Amino acid sequence: MLVAAPSVRAEEVRERASLRLRYGIALRNGQQADVGPGLTYDGFTPNDLAVMGTAWAGAWLGGWASVQREGFDLKEDSVRITGGSLLRASVGPRARAFLGPVRAELGAGYGYAQLPVFGTSDEPVLARGVRHAALVSASVRVPLFTRLAVEARGEVPVSLSVKDAAGAKAEAKGFAAGGALLFPLTGGGSWSGTVLLDFQHVQDTVTLVDGSRSEQRMRRVGAALEVAWNDAPSAPAAPPPPPRVPMGTLVLQLLDAESGAPLPAAKVVLVANGVEGAPREADAQGNVEGVELPPGDVVARVSAEGYAPAEGRVTLEDGGRVALAVRARKLPPPTGGLKISVVSAGNGVPLPGVRLMVGGVEARTDLRGEVHVKELPPGPVAVVATSSGYRTAEEAAIIVAGQETVLSVPLASERKGEPATLTGQVRNARGGKPIAATLLIPQAKVKARTDAKGAFTFKVRGGTYRITISARGFFTQSKLVTLKDGEQAIFNVDLFPRQKR
């Protein structure tokens, strides 16, 4: 018999009931052996019908029933004697299991079958034996590609009870095996359909009490339609897709305005139709790509370290793609200021109109003897102050970005004929300790010695002098010094010790 089975969508929907209707043809051959005239029944027989159904009480337990009609012709040699049909029916419980995509079923129950038995007279007639048996059946369904599936099944009768047409007991044995190729149809709601190409092989042997034996082998080929029902709720309909929002695409490139080099890690804020978005960061090539924005005016505000803020504007259209390059200019380097106060070295009175050179910037002091110089680069800067009647003064200042440095410059009067004062210290070049030394200026006939701290002071007229500095155990040094009348100069000397032998 054909095993009733649900549709190929069983791994998706476990049906509650199914019904299979099959129509096909039967290719049969069989014979009566040992007695009688040697009758056979074989050939092509149409109108082979079957009805099979299953019902499931739960996920794995249910019941099944089937009825089949088998038509055949009885022949002696090639002469047809008669024809007829036999019935098979079965019913019983059934269990199923789903092993991933594979579906397996096992059934047990009662089977009723009519078997062909022939008389032994010169004019034989067809008799029908009856077989009552417990049946054990099994089936396996495996999915194939593109939703197709293949089904294999088998059935074996056990605990047989067989009687011939006259009611006498007989012996019988046999089996049935088959398979099907399943083509799923589109299901709707709780219903689904499947078309099957079906094959079945049946083999039976009946032995009467007088020793005569009847054998048959039958192969059926047919087409079937299976309809399955399940009570699982239908999946809710998918919500309609949201209406499409118009969008355009903006591609940004952030560049240095002078060199055209990209500005990596620059920040950009996009303002679309007056709505400001979250900050975005440019990649290593200074690009911000694939930004989707609603159509309309877009302002790109760019900021980067060391650059002045920059903006770019563009208009987007629905579905359009626009490229925008925004160029930013470098900020000038940070600067500081310098406040200079020029006073007389003699009495501290502010000196107005003093000419100052601050780096490359020229300025003059105001009535209060002050001048403010702005936008100076950070770092050291030289300050030179010159004024009539005063000696030129040179100073240095350190400029700090964002701050104003204060510098006081005293100017000494040019008093001709007043001697210049030279002070200083003689030290050991290795360690810096003061040493006792002699300073000799032959031109001025000056010879002076340092005190215990290595310090010295002497006065000479303005001019250029060669000074010789000597000390016991040290190399003698000779240096030129230029002094102006009335100038106070500082002159420090480091002597190198001689190497001991």
Side-chain angles (χ1 to χ4, degrees):
M1 67 163 238
L2 264 173
V3 177
S7 73
V8 76
R9 297 170 60 239
E11 66 275 6
E12 302 174 9
V13 178
R14 302 186 178 188
E15 80 283 353
R16 297 297 301 273
S18 65
L19 181 66
R20 183 179 297 185
L21 305 175
R22 182 178 61 77
Y23 174 82
I25 60 175
L27 302 177
R28 176 195 299 268
N29 64 73
Q31 65 177 351
Q32 178 184 7
D34 300 332
V35 297
L39 300 177
T40 63
Y41 48 103
D42 56 16
F44 172 87
T45 305
N47 300 326
D48 193 62
L49 303 175
V51 178
M52 292 144 282
T54 57
W56 300 97
W60 62 275
L61 183 62
W64 57 279
S66 68
V67 177
Q68 292 187 197
R69 171 189 176 277
E70 304 170 358
F72 67 93
D73 289 335
L74 180 63
K75 299 181 180 179
E76 185 175 8
D77 296 330
S78 60
V79 179
R80 180 180 184 279
I81 299 176
T82 185
S85 63
L86 301 175
L87 294 179
R88 289 176 183 259
S90 58
V91 66
R94 196 166 189 83
R96 64 181 175 182
F98 294 90
L99 308 175
V102 178
R103 171 177 176 156
E105 294 185 10
L106 180 65
Y110 165 74
Y112 170 86
Q114 292 181 336
L115 304 178
V117 179
F118 308 108
T120 59
S121 63
D122 292 339
E123 295 182 0
V125 294
L126 172 65
R128 293 177 176 83
V130 177
R131 180 182 69 193
H132 303 276
L135 295 179
V136 177
S137 64
S139 69
V140 176
R141 180 178 298 184
V142 180
L144 300 177
F145 54 90
T146 64
R147 298 184 62 206
L148 299 181
V150 64
E151 179 184 87
R153 58 187 180 273
E155 177 186 284
V156 177
V158 295
S159 302
L160 301 178
S161 173
V162 182
K163 293 184 179 181
D164 61 14
K169 290 186 178 181
E171 296 181 359
K173 59 182 179 179
F175 68 90
L181 183 63
L182 296 85
F183 300 84
L185 302 176
T186 301
S190 299
W191 297 93
S192 63
T194 305
V195 174
L196 300 88
L197 296 181
D198 187 78
F199 171 78
Q200 186 182 34
H201 175 85
V202 178
Q203 185 163 329
D204 290 306
T205 301
V206 179
T207 302
L208 303 179
V209 292
D210 59 3
S212 61
R213 187 175 69 253
S214 176
E215 297 179 349
Q216 71 162 342
R217 289 179 300 276
M218 181 171 58
R219 297 173 183 86
R220 300 188 182 96
V221 178
L225 173 64
E226 178 183 88
V227 178
W229 170 76
N230 69 83
D231 59 359
S234 301
R244 178 184 174 275
V245 178
M247 283 292 189
T249 302
L250 177 63
V251 178
L252 283 172
Q253 189 176 26
L254 312 181
L255 304 172
D256 183 291
E258 297 178 0
S259 65
L263 299 180
K267 302 294 191 299
V268 58
V269 174
L270 298 176
V271 183
N273 298 322
V275 179
E276 184 175 303
R280 301 172 184 267
E281 184 172 310
D283 60 19
Q285 287 73 41
N287 296 327
V288 179
E289 297 186 354
V291 182
E292 291 191 345
L293 298 169
D297 294 333
V298 178
V299 178
R301 297 173 180 169
V302 177
S303 60
E305 185 176 355
Y307 287 82
E311 285 190 359
R313 296 175 179 270
V314 73
T315 300
L316 282 180
E317 296 182 356
D318 183 18
R321 183 181 179 90
V322 178
L324 174 63
V326 181
R327 301 177 182 272
R329 295 189 177 277
K330 287 185 177 179
L331 290 170
T335 59
L338 179 62
K339 177 185 177 182
I340 304 172
S341 299
V342 183
V343 297
S344 172
N347 53 23
V349 175
L351 299 177
V354 178
R355 180 175 177 268
L356 296 168
M357 289 296 297
V358 183
V361 179
E362 183 177 350
R364 289 187 180 272
T365 58
D366 57 17
L367 295 177
R368 294 178 296 179
E370 297 178 351
V371 66
H372 295 266
V373 182
K374 300 180 179 180
E375 297 183 355
L376 293 174
V381 62
V383 179
V384 180
T386 58
S387 181
S388 178
Y390 293 89
R391 295 188 182 94
T392 300
E394 296 183 1
E395 299 286 347
I398 303 298
I399 305 301
V400 179
Q403 299 182 16
E404 185 178 60
T405 303
V406 177
L407 176 66
S408 179
V409 179
L411 292 184
S413 298
E414 281 188 340
R415 290 177 290 181
K416 295 184 178 180
E418 183 178 348
T421 302
L422 184 64
T423 61
Q425 186 183 34
V426 181
R427 299 168 298 191
N428 189 333
R430 295 180 180 173
K433 291 184 178 181
I435 58 178
T438 301
L439 291 89
L440 181 63
I441 306 177
Q443 295 166 275
K445 298 180 181 181
V446 173
K447 183 177 182 181
R449 287 189 61 82
T450 61
D451 60 15
K453 296 182 179 180
F456 62 88
T457 300
F458 57 83
K459 295 180 181 291
V460 294
R461 293 177 64 85
T464 299
Y465 301 94
R466 181 174 293 277
I467 302 176
T468 301
I469 307 98
S470 61
R472 185 183 298 274
F474 291 85
F475 289 102
T476 300
Q477 290 191 29
S478 181
K479 294 182 178 292
L480 286 176
V481 177
T482 300
L483 301 171
K484 294 181 180 180
D485 289 343
E487 181 180 8
Q488 294 183 354
I490 298 174
F491 182 68
N492 294 323
V493 181
D494 292 327
L495 296 182
F496 288 89
R498 296 180 181 272
Q499 298 291 335
K500 294 181 180 181
R501 296 183 178 178

